[in-house]
Amino acid sequence: MNAFDRAFRAMRSDLEVHLLSIFSVGVAFVCLVTAMLVVVNVQHVQDRWQHIGKLSVYLNANTAPERINDLDTALRATPGVSGVRYVPSEEARRELMSDHGDDTLAALPEQAFPASLEVDTQEALTFEAREQMAKQLQILPGVESVETYANWSAKLATVFSGGVTAAAVLTLIVLGAVVSVVSSTIRMALQKRHVEVEVLKLVGATDSYVRGPFIVEGAAQGALGAVVALSLVGALYSFVRGTFEAHLTALLGVNISFLPWTLSAGLLLGGAALGAGAAYLSLRRLLVV
Amino acid sequence: MNAFDRAFRAMRSDLEVHLLSIFSVGVAFVCLVTAMLVVVNVQHVQDRWQHIGKLSVYLNANTAPERINDLDTALRATPGVSGVRYVPSEEARRELMSDHGDDTLAALPEQAFPASLEVDTQEALTFEAREQMAKQLQILPGVESVETYANWSAKLATVFSGGVTAAAVLTLIVLGAVVSVVSSTIRMALQKRHVEVEVLKLVGATDSYVRGPFIVEGAAQGALGAVVALSLVGALYSFVRGTFEAHLTALLGVNISFLPWTLSAGLLLGGAALGAGAAYLSLRRLLVV
Amino acid sequence: MRRGQRFDPTAADRPVLVFDGVFKAYRPDCPVLRGFSLTIQRGEFMFVTGPSGAGKSTLLRLLYAAEQVDAGRILFLGREVGRLTQDSVPFLRRNIGIVFQDFKLIENFTVLENVGLPLQVLGLPERVVNLRVGEVLERVGLGGRGHERASVLSGGEKQRVAIARAIVSEPALLLADEPTGNLDPQLAVDILGLFEDIHATGVTVMFATHDRSLLDIRPRRVVVLDEGRAFDVPQGLEGAALGAA
Amino acid sequence: MRRGQRFDPTAADRPVLVFDGVFKAYRPDCPVLRGFSLTIQRGEFMFVTGPSGAGKSTLLRLLYAAEQVDAGRILFLGREVGRLTQDSVPFLRRNIGIVFQDFKLIENFTVLENVGLPLQVLGLPERVVNLRVGEVLERVGLGGRGHERASVLSGGEKQRVAIARAIVSEPALLLADEPTGNLDPQLAVDILGLFEDIHATGVTVMFATHDRSLLDIRPRRVVVLDEGRAFDVPQGLEGAALGAA
Ligand SMILES: Nc1ncnc2c1ncn2[C@@H]1O[C@H](COP(=O)(O)OP(=O)(O)OP(=O)(O)O)[C@@H](O)[C@H]1O
Ligand SMILES: Nc1ncnc2c1ncn2[C@@H]1O[C@H](COP(=O)(O)OP(=O)(O)OP(=O)(O)O)[C@@H](O)[C@H]1O
Ligand SMILES: [Mg+2]
Ligand SMILES: [Mg+2]
């Protein structure tokens, strides 16, 4: 019997305890997976906003149509600009209202919505290039202000880095929880099987032979815990997506998505490695019989 | 030796495993405590918004000062109104800008900020009474629109009920996790001490004598897990409060607060009861020797 | 239960233990006890012997309700052991002192704690327990070893701790399952003497052993178990028709 | 290590086991072994006896490196046991078959699995293991009991399983710690016969026992441990000056 057979045998004979411990590891991982899901989606939103390359050139209320035309032509000729669209005042109002459906905005007078030229820039254009372009546009006659959405990007970056920090903190807590659950399970398995361990050593088993199945058990617990968490969060995710997808897409501007499979696989492997590591550490004392 | 002495002795001899299991229970509880903290604070915000009884009466841009005065007087005479303040257009703009510090808003023309009469109503006034009052105000000449913040309340109510639902789901998961961690620990303690249990029964110990210390251990794990969670979240809370208090208060309109001590004590007792229950259930098989 | 004698004058005459047609099989094809019947009077001293796997330990386990009979019944002080409720089994066991063949010591408890267990379970105060345990340890030759952990003891020392635990609560019935298997001949004779002393105070003793030399020391009633049947030899094996098989 | 004979012609003449002034004390005031010295030749059969707590099991435990000597040294096939690295202890133990006084069976394993363990550890294929285990179980009188769990066995059956496990890997040295304490006299003699058969194949045997009747069956070298000293009686206790302890 190799280490896997022996681990499998031990886990089967102690099925309930192992299932409980896998569930506990799973609960710890649920926190992590959720945080990662949020981070991944915020990242998408941020990417989208950073690459969307939009500039809004707000025009003075009394700018003459010819000036607007001139501006349009000038903008189209600027390198990096891929499209320009004129949005008159009323249209701006309608757009904003349909986006937000907010009554407060409806109460605003029409002047709150200046006409604008909506400029699409090429994706390759860097953030700095866009800021530069905005500065140059700002001083043109008839231009009230230029919005580069840097503000939004900055806000999103804050949210994103907050999310990453939270995920990092959670990762630490989860690591601690997984290590603690796995090592307490392994320690107890060890105590339960101390006769087996003692006998194995007395009949000439090497340390690695004795350790093998415990490490496999630890790895299995970590990995299965990750699977439990991924399934739980995955189920929740598809429920949320099924129910609120339209709202969320409208709100975020991107389709929400689950963790990419690489990350899921990474979690699984990480769980296995963590479980194996925790088991290995708990077994250190075992070296002395 | 009574059950407590015996439980204490067992926990001391197996200190590490018990600490690990307490930590695992703690991690499960952390989720719950955090959710409760959010719910409690959202509840505060909601209470405040529901009781704040504010109405904003936006005025037409060209309303004559006398009409405003008339309106002011009429409002002050309305039963349930406790105060009226006139906010001219520029002040509204300044206020909004200082609240949000948002450049986009700065770009809005002055007309976007209509003058208003800010009406404070008595706290006792029901939601319906305020809505009624708003309807009546709406038709007065010079009034552009009336904002009762019903919208905000509704949004908050959604957030709140979402929070409550999340907390409930979390409670279930946490219950599961706590029960699973405690019962796996107790089961393993039982396996480790099966000789002790067998001998006790063979020398004439009653079932309750045998069970006692295990149930005490389970209860201790549950309660200490809750303590760990409360301390962890408490520490995090005071950090967040210390660093962001001003921002949060400005944002939410209320001081954030920790869980009331009754809820903390309830969590502790609940943890103990849960642990004891989990232990009791895991011990059922023990009845047969 | 021993106090009960005072109130029931006929109790002293009733047999303390009756096996009545007891059947026990762990595997259907190979029963361990087939219609085992035996009556043991109050205050008897009895050896149980027989080859390995004959059912000596099984017989004792049935008595303290760790196993259930398949057929027949066992009466202890007139009560049927197999019909005791879950709740009254502990009270049966408090009247029986048992030396287990595999000792059943709690390895990480001290000798004192192991021996004191039957008294702890009764809720006696710590002081009384320690006093009594100290006395009993003296009697089995382990005076002063009380604070050692059971796991560090030698085989024979463990066996004597198991004996001390069995007699510490002064039970009405003493079951000893191979209590001298790990003792040197001198110590085995000493321990037999200890059991005889306890027997002299009116305690009923069932002593399961392989050790023929012990059986020969004094003629006692011997029950030989073999192939599921019991042979009752009232006055020792000496001269009986059963050879050394 | 047994194969090593072929390559080292002097090995056969070297003593298989040398105890050289071995001291061992668990408590400073009360040493178990005080300057124990003994040389055992390849293929010897030797009894170790002495009263309970004399240090018989300790002597054997030192040999298989489950304890360390406080002073002196133990040489097994010329190598000092106390100086073996952590990694080479398993290889020492693969050359020694041990019958533990407390059996050390894994209760929830079957008899087959328990007995097969020393072969599993060597990584032998399942088929070979089962074949060999079956043979050995026959020899200890437990043929056909292989699929029972160790926990349901009687005391004597457990002891025989422990014996089977000790001899299954055909070790160069066989240590038996009170291997007949739970066996009836007939079975004890049979098991002694089994050890003699194994001894006849060239295996060195150390047999710790209290059972004087076994010592008397055939005159063998006997080492008597008492109060930390050893008395070496080359041709059995018969007629030697040592009484019954
Ligand atoms: N729980 C059990 N399940 C199945 N078989 C059992 C169980 N307990 C005992 N046996 C079998 O019943 C038979 C009698 O066992 P018992 O322990 O009573 O023998 P014993 O007379 O005490 O033998 P020994 O002298 O070797 O201790 C043995 O063959 C044993 O394997
Ligand atoms: N790990 C230990 N720690 C402390 N004392 C020990 C330890 N192991 C054994 N002893 C003590 O050392 C002494 C010798 O023990 P050992 O087991 O060698 O005796 P033994 O000759 O095998 O006796 P027996 O015939 O009763 O098995 C005993 O008094 C025992 O209590
Ligand atoms: Mg038996
Ligand atoms: Mg010994």
Side-chain angles (χ1 to χ4, degrees):
Chain A
M1 289 201 288
N2 61 26
F4 288 92
D5 293 339
R6 291 191 292 141
F8 183 69
R9 175 210 178 105
M11 289 176 81
R12 208 180 35 191
S13 83
D14 239 348
L15 194 61
E16 257 170 284
V17 167
H18 276 91
L19 288 183
L20 290 172
S21 131
I22 287 168
F23 179 67
S24 311
V25 171
V27 168
F29 268 117
V30 160
C31 306
L32 184 62
V33 173
T34 311
M36 279 180 150
L37 199 58
V38 170
V39 168
V40 162
N41 280 293
V42 172
Q43 168 101 69
H44 282 171
V45 173
Q46 199 189 22
D47 277 5
R48 167 147 170 110
W49 279 92
Q50 254 174 4
H51 286 145
I52 203 169
K54 231 173 96 168
L55 289 177
S56 293
V57 179
Y58 292 106
L59 305 172
N60 285 334
N62 45 8
T63 310
E66 335 42 291
R67 271 238 49 79
I68 298 174
N69 252 332
D70 288 355
L71 265 173
D72 192 319
T73 321
L75 278 168
R76 281 179 204 277
T78 312
V81 169
S82 57
V84 179
R85 185 171 67 96
Y86 174 60
V87 180
S89 182
E90 319 83 60
E91 199 181 322
R93 183 187 191 132
R94 270 204 307 282
E95 246 178 37
L96 198 63
M97 279 174 62
S98 74
D99 262 24
H100 289 232
D102 193 327
D103 297 351
T104 326
L105 288 167
L108 292 173
E110 192 170 319
Q111 295 87 332
F113 304 95
S116 65
L117 285 165
E118 300 295 322
V119 181
D120 290 331
T121 59
Q122 279 163 8
E123 301 222 346
L125 218 60
T126 64
F127 179 75
E128 286 72 26
R130 279 203 293 275
E131 286 294 311
Q132 185 60 33
M133 191 187 289
K135 267 204 197 110
Q136 288 166 354
L137 287 169
Q138 192 92 55
I139 50 176
L140 294 181
V143 172
E144 157 114 16
S145 65
V146 179
E147 175 60 79
T148 56
Y149 302 96
N151 217 344
W152 280 101
S153 294
K155 273 190 187 169
L156 263 171
T158 314
V159 171
F160 181 68
S161 72
V164 169
T165 312
V169 170
L170 269 172
T171 306
L172 279 184
I173 294 187
V174 166
L175 290 190
V178 170
V179 167
S180 89
V181 171
V182 171
S183 29
S184 76
T185 313
I186 294 295
R187 254 167 225 275
M188 290 201 263
L190 207 60
Q191 286 173 341
K192 195 201 161 192
R193 274 145 61 194
H194 75 275
V195 175
E196 185 180 335
V197 167
E198 190 189 350
V199 171
L200 277 174
K201 300 214 76 173
L202 287 175
V203 301
T206 55
D207 283 342
S208 53
Y209 185 91
V210 175
R211 273 201 219 105
F214 291 99
I215 298 206
V216 171
E217 280 170 55
Q221 277 173 39
L224 291 176
V227 168
V228 165
L230 286 169
S231 324
L232 270 180
V233 177
L236 203 71
Y237 165 81
S238 18
F239 171 74
V240 167
R241 191 186 168 115
T243 324
F244 302 114
E245 176 158 35
H247 295 80
L248 282 171
T249 308
L251 198 69
L252 300 175
V254 294
N255 286 324
I256 61 168
S257 59
F258 196 59
L259 299 186
W261 73 267
T262 44
L263 211 54
S264 307
L267 259 175
L268 222 141
L269 288 181
L274 201 61
Y280 182 79
L281 287 182
S282 340
L283 287 173
R284 280 236 296 243
R285 299 193 185 162
L286 192 147
L287 284 168
V288 195
V289 159
Chain B
M1 286 202 290
N2 62 26
F4 288 92
D5 292 340
R6 290 191 291 140
F8 183 69
R9 176 210 177 104
M11 289 177 81
R12 208 181 33 190
S13 84
D14 240 349
L15 195 60
E16 256 169 288
V17 167
H18 276 91
L19 288 184
L20 290 172
S21 133
I22 288 169
F23 179 68
S24 312
V25 171
V27 167
F29 268 118
V30 160
C31 307
L32 184 63
V33 172
T34 310
M36 280 180 150
L37 199 58
V38 169
V39 168
V40 162
N41 281 292
V42 171
Q43 168 100 68
H44 281 172
V45 172
Q46 198 188 24
D47 278 3
R48 165 143 173 115
W49 279 91
Q50 253 172 7
H51 287 145
I52 201 166
K54 231 173 98 168
L55 289 177
S56 292
V57 180
Y58 291 105
L59 305 173
N60 285 334
N62 44 9
T63 311
E66 326 56 282
R67 270 235 50 78
I68 297 175
N69 251 332
D70 287 357
L71 265 173
D72 190 320
T73 321
L75 278 167
R76 282 179 201 277
T78 314
V81 169
S82 57
V84 179
R85 186 170 68 94
Y86 174 60
V87 180
S89 182
E90 320 82 60
E91 200 181 323
R93 182 188 190 133
R94 267 204 308 282
E95 249 179 34
L96 198 64
M97 278 176 60
S98 73
D99 263 23
H100 290 232
D102 193 328
D103 297 351
T104 326
L105 289 167
L108 292 174
E110 193 168 319
Q111 295 87 331
F113 304 97
S116 65
L117 284 166
E118 301 296 323
V119 181
D120 291 332
T121 60
Q122 277 159 11
E123 301 222 346
L125 219 60
T126 64
F127 179 75
E128 286 73 26
R130 277 204 293 275
E131 287 294 309
Q132 188 59 34
M133 191 188 286
K135 267 205 199 108
Q136 288 165 353
L137 287 166
Q138 192 92 56
I139 52 177
L140 293 181
V143 172
E144 157 114 17
S145 64
V146 179
E147 175 61 77
T148 58
Y149 302 98
N151 217 345
W152 281 101
S153 294
K155 273 189 187 166
L156 262 171
T158 315
V159 171
F160 181 68
S161 72
V164 169
T165 313
V169 170
L170 269 173
T171 307
L172 280 183
I173 294 187
V174 167
L175 290 190
V178 170
V179 167
S180 88
V181 171
V182 170
S183 30
S184 75
T185 312
I186 294 294
R187 253 168 226 276
M188 289 201 262
L190 207 59
Q191 287 173 341
K192 194 201 160 190
R193 273 144 63 193
H194 76 275
V195 175
E196 185 180 335
V197 167
E198 189 188 353
V199 170
L200 277 174
K201 301 213 76 173
L202 288 175
V203 301
T206 55
D207 282 343
S208 53
Y209 184 92
V210 175
R211 271 201 221 105
F214 292 99
I215 299 206
V216 171
E217 280 170 55
Q221 278 172 40
L224 292 177
V227 168
V228 165
L230 286 170
S231 323
L232 270 181
V233 177
L236 204 69
Y237 166 81
S238 16
F239 170 73
V240 166
R241 192 186 167 113
T243 324
F244 301 113
E245 176 158 36
H247 296 79
L248 283 171
T249 309
L251 198 69
L252 300 175
V254 296
N255 285 323
I256 60 168
S257 59
F258 197 59
L259 299 187
W261 73 265
T262 44
L263 212 55
S264 306
L267 259 175
L268 222 142
L269 289 180
L274 202 62
Y280 182 80
L281 287 181
S282 337
L283 287 173
R284 281 236 296 245
R285 299 193 184 162
L286 191 148
L287 285 168
V288 196
V289 159
Chain C
M1 276 180 176
R2 287 168 72 197
R3 296 261 173 81
Q5 294 173 28
R6 289 197 211 139
F7 308 104
D8 181 0
T10 69
D13 310 328
R14 281 205 311 241
V16 68
L17 206 52
V18 177
F19 292 85
D20 181 9
V22 171
F23 272 85
K24 178 69 191 177
Y26 295 107
R27 284 161 303 168
D29 53 316
C30 170
V32 177
L33 300 176
R34 314 185 210 174
F36 178 81
S37 292
L38 190 71
T39 303
I40 300 168
Q41 298 302 327
R42 183 174 297 277
E44 253 191 294
F45 189 116
M46 204 190 69
F47 286 112
V48 181
T49 191
S52 174
K56 302 178 292 298
S57 304
T58 300
L59 190 66
L60 303 186
R61 275 204 294 271
L62 291 171
L63 199 45
Y64 55 82
E67 298 276 1
Q68 294 293 313
V69 296
D70 292 336
R73 48 193 199 131
I74 299 175
L75 302 177
F76 177 62
L77 297 172
R79 289 212 238 155
E80 189 170 344
V81 172
R83 296 228 176 142
L84 291 177
T85 61
Q86 191 67 49
D87 289 341
S88 48
V89 168
F91 299 96
L92 165 74
R93 290 181 183 160
R94 289 177 189 186
N95 286 284
I96 307 181
I98 315 165
V99 186
F100 301 97
Q101 191 171 11
D102 54 356
F103 314 153
K104 292 202 194 298
L105 300 186
I106 306 173
E107 297 271 297
N108 59 335
F109 277 26
T110 64
V111 170
L112 276 180
E113 288 165 341
N114 267 294
V115 176
L117 225 48
L119 304 179
Q120 294 279 9
V121 159
L122 296 175
L124 295 188
E126 210 74 16
R127 206 181 46 77
V128 178
V129 171
N130 287 340
L131 201 75
R132 182 90 190 99
V133 169
E135 280 169 31
V136 173
L137 283 180
E138 280 300 338
R139 288 181 79 172
V140 297
L142 290 175
R145 306 289 298 267
H147 292 285
E148 285 177 40
R149 294 211 313 155
S151 56
V152 308
L153 297 179
S154 82
E157 288 160 355
K158 281 181 185 166
Q159 192 151 43
R160 286 179 276 159
V161 172
I163 293 168
R165 187 180 59 194
I167 62 178
V168 76
S169 60
E170 303 186 331
L173 173 62
L174 192 54
L175 306 179
D177 196 355
E178 204 76 58
T180 58
N182 285 274
L183 301 181
D184 52 284
Q186 182 55 49
L187 208 48
V189 173
D190 291 352
I191 290 294
L192 182 61
L194 173 61
F195 279 94
E196 300 214 321
D197 292 349
I198 291 166
H199 169 236
T201 68
V203 176
T204 312
V205 179
M206 275 180 90
F207 194 114
T209 186
H210 294 115
D211 195 340
R212 287 289 151 90
S213 58
L214 288 184
L215 299 191
D216 299 342
I217 286 177
R218 268 223 259 165
R220 293 282 187 191
R221 184 174 177 194
V222 177
V223 172
V224 182
L225 285 177
D226 204 0
E227 310 253 310
R229 305 236 146 256
F231 306 87
D232 200 342
V233 190
Q235 285 302 318
L237 287 184
E238 301 277 87
L242 296 147
Chain D
M1 278 183 176
R2 288 169 70 197
R3 297 258 173 83
Q5 293 171 28
R6 287 197 213 139
F7 308 104
D8 182 359
T10 68
D13 310 326
R14 280 205 312 238
V16 69
L17 205 54
V18 178
F19 291 86
D20 180 9
V22 171
F23 271 86
K24 178 70 190 176
Y26 295 106
R27 284 163 302 168
D29 53 317
C30 170
V32 177
L33 299 176
R34 314 185 211 174
F36 178 82
S37 293
L38 190 72
T39 302
I40 300 169
Q41 298 302 328
R42 182 173 298 277
E44 254 192 293
F45 189 117
M46 204 191 67
F47 287 111
V48 181
T49 191
S52 173
K56 303 180 291 300
S57 304
T58 301
L59 190 65
L60 303 186
R61 275 203 294 272
L62 291 171
L63 200 43
Y64 55 80
E67 299 278 1
Q68 293 293 314
V69 295
D70 293 336
R73 48 192 201 134
I74 300 175
L75 302 177
F76 177 62
L77 296 174
R79 289 213 239 155
E80 189 171 344
V81 171
R83 297 229 176 142
L84 290 177
T85 61
Q86 192 66 48
D87 288 341
S88 47
V89 168
F91 300 95
L92 165 74
R93 291 181 182 160
R94 288 177 188 184
N95 286 286
I96 307 182
I98 316 166
V99 186
F100 301 97
Q101 191 170 10
D102 54 355
F103 314 154
K104 293 201 195 296
L105 300 186
I106 306 174
E107 297 271 297
N108 60 335
F109 277 26
T110 64
V111 169
L112 276 181
E113 288 165 341
N114 267 292
V115 175
L117 225 48
L119 303 180
Q120 294 279 8
V121 158
L122 295 176
L124 295 188
E126 211 74 18
R127 205 180 47 75
V128 177
V129 171
N130 287 340
L131 201 75
R132 181 90 190 97
V133 169
E135 280 170 28
V136 172
L137 283 180
E138 281 300 339
R139 289 180 80 173
V140 297
L142 290 175
R145 305 290 298 269
H147 292 285
E148 285 177 42
R149 293 212 312 155
S151 56
V152 307
L153 297 180
S154 82
E157 288 160 355
K158 281 182 186 165
Q159 192 151 44
R160 285 179 278 159
V161 172
I163 293 168
R165 186 182 58 197
I167 63 178
V168 75
S169 61
E170 302 186 331
L173 172 64
L174 191 54
L175 306 180
D177 196 354
E178 203 76 59
T180 58
N182 285 274
L183 301 180
D184 52 284
Q186 182 57 48
L187 207 49
V189 172
D190 291 352
I191 290 294
L192 182 60
L194 173 60
F195 279 95
E196 301 214 322
D197 291 351
I198 291 167
H199 170 236
T201 68
V203 175
T204 312
V205 179
M206 275 181 90
F207 193 114
T209 187
H210 294 116
D211 196 340
R212 286 289 149 91
S213 58
L214 288 184
L215 298 193
D216 299 341
I217 286 177
R218 268 223 258 163
R220 291 281 186 194
R221 184 174 177 193
V222 178
V223 173
V224 183
L225 284 176
D226 204 0
E227 311 252 310
R229 304 235 147 256
F231 306 88
D232 199 343
V233 189
Q235 286 300 319
L237 287 185
E238 302 277 86
L242 296 148

